[in-house]
Amino acid sequence: MSTEKHVGVVLVSHSRAVAESVAELAVGLAGGGTTAPVAAAGGTPDGGLGTSSELIAGAAARVDRGAGVALLVDLGSAVLTVKSLVAEGDELPEGARLLDAPFLEGAVAAVVTASAGADLDAVEAAAVEAYSYRKV
């Protein structure tokens, strides 16, 4: 792995399988060069459905390279848990930010942009822009 500072990306879902699958897809689509660090934080520590502040904080610590950490979430308590962690400010790396973006499309945009060496503001802009992707 490169020692360059990249924005890290954490994908928070109620399901471990969903978080890991979205991470795999985003990393795969960002291929071709150095890939930004990505971690999945899905489900509960025992493998159930839900969210875990411990898993989220651990994932954020693993992807932190000093350029900020982008957190994308699926719904409900995942949003509330990450909002709480950001508000508390002591369990996430400095510069960790919850992005208001669609989970799958935003994750791909965030990972591709972060892998290009963009800063956290640009990663957020790319992820948020994914709301405007029209399919029909």
Side-chain angles (χ1 to χ4, degrees):
M1 176 175 283
S2 170
T3 58
E4 294 179 47
K5 286 188 173 184
H6 280 101
V7 172
V9 178
V10 176
L11 303 173
V12 181
S13 172
H14 283 69
S15 162
R16 179 180 300 169
V18 170
E20 290 175 350
S21 295
V22 172
E24 180 182 359
L25 178 62
V27 168
L29 293 175
T34 301
T35 303
V38 179
T44 59
D46 64 358
L49 296 176
T51 55
S52 161
S53 59
E54 293 84 11
L55 291 178
I56 297 165
R62 286 194 306 278
V63 302
D64 182 24
R65 301 291 186 274
V69 175
L71 296 114
L72 288 98
V73 300
D74 59 1
L75 50 92
S77 66
V79 178
L80 297 174
T81 302
V82 173
K83 279 185 174 180
S84 176
L85 287 168
V86 169
E88 292 170 7
D90 59 349
E91 293 189 54
L92 296 175
E94 186 172 328
R97 187 181 302 172
L98 171 61
L99 305 187
D100 184 11
F103 190 60
L104 175 58
E105 292 88 345
V108 171
V111 173
V112 168
T113 305
S115 296
D119 65 15
L120 185 56
D121 289 337
V123 170
E124 181 175 23
V128 170
E129 184 181 356
Y131 271 130
S132 66
Y133 297 168
R134 305 292 309 176
K135 298 176 182 169
V136 178

